[in-house]
């Protein structure tokens, strides 16, 4: 024991942080109680060390704590007072280091407002270690509490905070921004109609519509926005829809489901559900050499050169889709004209029937998914029931998509090159995917030259095909 006549130079350590135990004590209250305790012991408070808003659990550097350790090491302190051991540290390893420093410096007086610990005996050391392990467990419990809270917030359909507002909603994450909602609905319609993400980001660029981060849209951001259940008034948690949201929907749950299915199908097959552009990926800009992208302006389908971060073209060339498609199709048929074609076509007809049947199956399953999503949206079924109902349909959609992919793959073209006349009569009965596959088999790409201002129709001299066969 320290003789009474030699003053004990005490260090008071206080820390405030969001993980404050129990009462959520402020620094002033901690300091007051520690001063009272030191006075009761007859200790002189040599210095008060305070760290603000720094967790003792995460192992971040705490400047005042560090300074106190240095003072103890230098033999300047005889005692340490804290409100509770967890103010000192929440990490067992750090407590061990603290104990070692105290042992080396001969510091044996350690007091806490909540429970005194004498590090100079085995009981005190044991107690301190136990307390620090308890403190570590408390931190773990706290993180479990936070997770539970997040789960509850989600199940109540409430927003989850976050720094950036979602596109389509105000900062409160509840109020719809009508101008952006209109953009979202147009994007959804156009994507479902077969327009590519690339084309849609180009359109946003043209319209001067920026992302919530104030940047030009990229295809990845656009995909995230369009597949986010939030815009359908659904609240997702950890990737699963758990509730109907408290905010208004911008698109219907059924449209959301169609979008998710369309993106999933695109991801698994590399093709869109409904191809509307015969020459997607096959045309090049005659000015800059970049690929042209499919695009809709009003009712008119077009191929355009697009500038911007996703595209990198000159953005200065456009051609109306229908005439160039007709011209290329005709050119391909002439190219294919050879007597060997007839036999190949007989085999193809069966494959096309199978292809059409699979597409019908796919569409009916997708309609079913949309219907289920609608029931979920109207609270006719629970999220759990929805999930159970979806699984077999999703599996079926995946299988059908794979079969369609095999049928439309390039290997299916073997032997097609042949009789253009025969193919011409059945051409209009082939679906767009088949037509595109046939064109792709003979046409490497076509370069589109600049148009003449005010010219009517398409000037064939603008189209320069590069044949692969
Ligand atoms: Zn260009």
């Amino acid at each position: 024991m320290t003789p009474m006549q030699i003053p004990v130079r005490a260090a008071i350590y206080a820390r405030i942080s969001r993980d404050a135990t129990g009462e959520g004590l402020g620094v002033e209250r901690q300091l007051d109680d520690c001063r009272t305790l030191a006075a009761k012991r007859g200790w002189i408070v040599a210095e008060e060390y305070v760290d603000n808003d720094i967790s003792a659990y995460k192992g971040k550097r705490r400047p005042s704590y560090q300074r106190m350790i240095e003072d103890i090491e230098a033999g300047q302190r005889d005692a340490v007072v804290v409100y509770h051991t967890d103010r000192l540290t929440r990490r067992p390893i750090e407590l061990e280091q603290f104990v070692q420093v105290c042992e080396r410096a001969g510091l044996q007086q350690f007091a806490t407002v909540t429970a005194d610990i004498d590090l100079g005996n085995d009981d005190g050391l044991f107690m301190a270690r136990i307390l620090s392990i308890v403190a570590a467990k408390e931190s773990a419990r706290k993180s479990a509490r936070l997770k539970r809270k997040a789960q509850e917030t989600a199940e109540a359909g409430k927003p989850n905070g976050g720094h950036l507002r979602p596109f389509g909603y105000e900062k409160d994450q509840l109020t719809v921004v009508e101008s952006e909602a209109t953009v979202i609905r147009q994007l959804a319609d156009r994507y479902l109609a077969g327009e590519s993400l690339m084309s849609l980001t180009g359109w946003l660029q043209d319209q001067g519509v920026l992302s919530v981060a104030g940047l030009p849209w990229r295809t990845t951001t656009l995909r995230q926005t369009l597949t986010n259940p939030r815009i359908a008034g659904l609240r997702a948690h950890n990737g699963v829809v758990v509730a109907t949201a408290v905010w208004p929907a911008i698109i219907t749950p059924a449209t959301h489901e169609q979008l998710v299915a369309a993106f999933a199908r695109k991801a698994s097959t590399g093709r869109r559900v409904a191809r509307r552009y015969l020459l997607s990926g096959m045309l090049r800009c005659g000015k800059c050499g970049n690929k042209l992208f499919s695009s809709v302006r009003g009712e008119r389908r077009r191929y355009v050169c697009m500038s911007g971060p996703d595209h990198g073209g000159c953005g200065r060339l456009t051609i109306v889709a229908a005439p160039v498609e007709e011209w290329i199709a005709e050119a391909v048929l002439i190219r294919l004209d050879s007597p060997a074609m007839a036999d190949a076509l007989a085999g193809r007809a069966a494959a096309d029937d199978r292809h059409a049947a699979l597409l019908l199956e796919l569409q009916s399953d997708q309609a079913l998914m949309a219907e289920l999503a609608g029931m979920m949206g109207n609270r006719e079924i629970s999220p759990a029931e929805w999930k159970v109902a979806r699984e077999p349909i999703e599996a079926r959609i995946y299988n059908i998509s794979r079969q369609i992919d095999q049928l439309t793959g390039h290997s299916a073209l073997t032997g097609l090159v042949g009789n253009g006349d025969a193919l011409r009569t059945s051409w209009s009965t082939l679906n767009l995917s088949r037509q595109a596959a046939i064109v792709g088999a003979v046409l490497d790409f076509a370069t589109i030259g600049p148009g003449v201002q005010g010219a009517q129709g398409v000037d064939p001299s603008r189209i320069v095909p590069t044949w692969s066969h």
Side-chain angles (χ1 to χ4, degrees):
M1 298 304 282
T2 314
M4 287 303 288
Q5 61 272 33
I6 301 172
V8 172
R9 299 160 299 173
I12 290 179
Y13 180 74
R15 177 174 64 84
I16 186 167
S17 78
R18 284 182 215 95
D19 65 356
T21 25
E23 306 91 324
L25 289 171
V27 163
E28 270 316 308
R29 167 78 196 286
Q30 290 179 42
L31 289 174
D32 272 350
D33 286 357
C34 290
R35 286 174 200 138
T36 306
L37 181 59
K40 208 189 284 176
R41 295 292 178 89
W43 296 346
I44 310 287
V45 177
E47 191 161 357
E48 296 175 350
Y49 304 85
V50 179
D51 284 314
N52 271 314
D53 209 14
I54 298 173
S55 167
Y57 185 67
K58 288 177 183 153
K60 281 185 193 150
R61 230 183 90 79
R62 292 178 286 155
S64 295
Y65 179 81
Q66 203 50 46
R67 196 159 48 79
M68 177 175 75
I69 292 293
E70 282 161 17
D71 289 350
I72 293 171
E73 275 178 326
Q76 302 290 310
R77 304 288 172 257
D78 306 309
V80 173
V81 184
V82 293
Y83 186 85
H84 187 278
T85 319
D86 71 359
R87 297 299 85 194
L88 199 61
T89 177
R90 281 175 174 269
R91 298 193 305 158
I93 177 88
E94 206 176 37
L95 185 74
E96 289 290 343
Q97 287 160 354
F98 179 75
V99 168
Q100 279 169 22
V101 167
C102 292
E103 277 174 350
R104 275 204 304 273
L107 184 149
Q108 296 192 349
Q109 304 287 345
F110 183 77
T112 67
V113 174
T114 50
D116 283 7
I117 298 159
D118 180 0
L119 294 177
N121 65 51
D122 287 349
D123 281 355
L125 209 51
F126 178 72
M127 179 75 157
R129 284 177 180 149
I130 295 293
L131 280 172
S132 104
I133 289 163
V134 168
K137 279 190 178 147
E138 169 58 27
S139 286
R141 259 201 303 280
K142 190 202 152 224
S143 115
R145 269 205 307 276
L146 282 180
K147 276 189 193 144
R148 207 162 53 238
K149 177 85 183 118
Q151 178 81 28
E152 283 167 13
T153 307
E155 283 168 0
K158 293 177 187 159
N160 63 351
H163 300 297
L164 281 180
R165 70 181 179 86
F167 187 77
Y169 295 88
E170 303 275 10
K171 259 209 175 79
D172 64 7
Q173 307 199 16
L174 302 170
T175 314
V176 171
V177 177
E178 276 311 326
S179 58
E180 292 180 356
T182 306
V183 169
I184 288 176
R185 287 186 203 106
Q186 285 188 42
L187 288 168
D189 286 350
R190 290 166 68 154
Y191 186 78
L192 288 176
E195 193 165 345
S196 70
L197 278 180
M198 284 286 221
S199 161
L200 291 175
T201 55
W203 174 69
L204 288 167
Q205 175 105 348
D206 291 349
Q207 302 290 307
V209 178
L210 296 174
S211 75
V212 286
L215 299 169
W217 285 84
R218 307 208 65 141
T219 51
T220 45
T221 331
L222 186 55
R223 183 187 298 110
Q224 282 159 12
T225 298
L226 287 180
T227 53
N228 194 339
R230 149 172 270 286
I231 59 171
L234 300 171
R235 174 63 152 97
H237 186 56
N238 297 331
V240 179
V241 171
V242 293
T244 305
V246 296
W247 57 82
I250 289 172
I251 60 171
T252 65
T255 304
H256 166 68
E257 199 51 48
Q258 286 169 357
L259 283 167
V260 170
F263 278 107
R265 192 175 136 58
K266 177 86 159 69
S268 70
T269 68
R271 286 186 186 84
R272 286 182 294 280
V273 174
R275 178 188 263 275
R276 287 190 58 199
Y277 290 83
L278 177 65
L279 302 173
S280 290
M282 287 189 262
L283 300 183
R284 292 189 189 175
C285 173
K287 287 182 177 169
C288 69
N290 242 56
K291 258 190 196 173
L292 298 185
F293 292 92
S294 48
S295 165
V296 182
R297 292 287 186 284
E299 289 303 299
R300 200 161 240 201
R301 298 184 308 111
R302 311 187 309 167
Y303 296 95
V304 298
C305 180
M306 290 189 179
S307 55
D310 264 336
H311 310 91
C314 68
R316 285 166 43 234
L317 187 129
T318 289
I319 193 161
V320 178
V324 71
E325 286 169 355
E326 281 163 25
W327 191 92
I328 292 275
E330 193 58 37
V332 165
L333 293 175
I334 293 165
R335 190 87 193 160
L336 283 171
D337 208 359
S338 98
M341 195 65 184
D343 297 341
L345 266 182
R348 291 267 56 82
D352 282 331
D353 284 351
R354 174 90 186 111
H355 187 248
L358 283 170
L359 270 183
L360 274 181
E361 273 182 60
L362 183 69
Q363 279 159 7
S364 106
D365 272 342
Q366 282 168 347
L368 204 52
M369 290 286 270
E371 195 180 326
L372 278 171
M375 288 168 76
M376 156 74 194
N378 296 329
R379 299 180 194 242
E380 288 162 30
I381 53 172
S382 73
E385 287 170 324
W386 186 34
K387 188 168 180 294
V388 170
R390 289 169 64 136
E391 271 162 12
I393 308 172
E394 278 169 350
R396 219 157 49 217
I397 286 178
Y398 177 75
N399 281 329
I400 296 171
S401 301
R402 285 196 50 189
Q403 291 180 53
I404 290 175
D405 189 39
Q406 284 165 10
L407 279 177
T408 52
H410 273 255
S411 58
L413 279 175
T414 316
L416 248 193
V417 179
N419 195 330
D421 266 345
L423 187 54
R424 187 174 287 109
T425 54
S426 57
W427 182 257
S428 62
T429 67
L430 302 179
N431 66 54
L432 211 43
S433 294
R434 285 292 303 155
Q435 291 179 350
I438 292 168
V439 171
V442 289
L443 180 72
D444 197 356
F445 61 90
T447 304
I448 304 299
V452 180
Q453 202 73 36
Q456 292 294 306
V458 165
D459 172 8
S461 68
R462 286 184 71 190
I463 307 167
V464 182
T466 301
W467 304 106
S468 51
H469 291 286

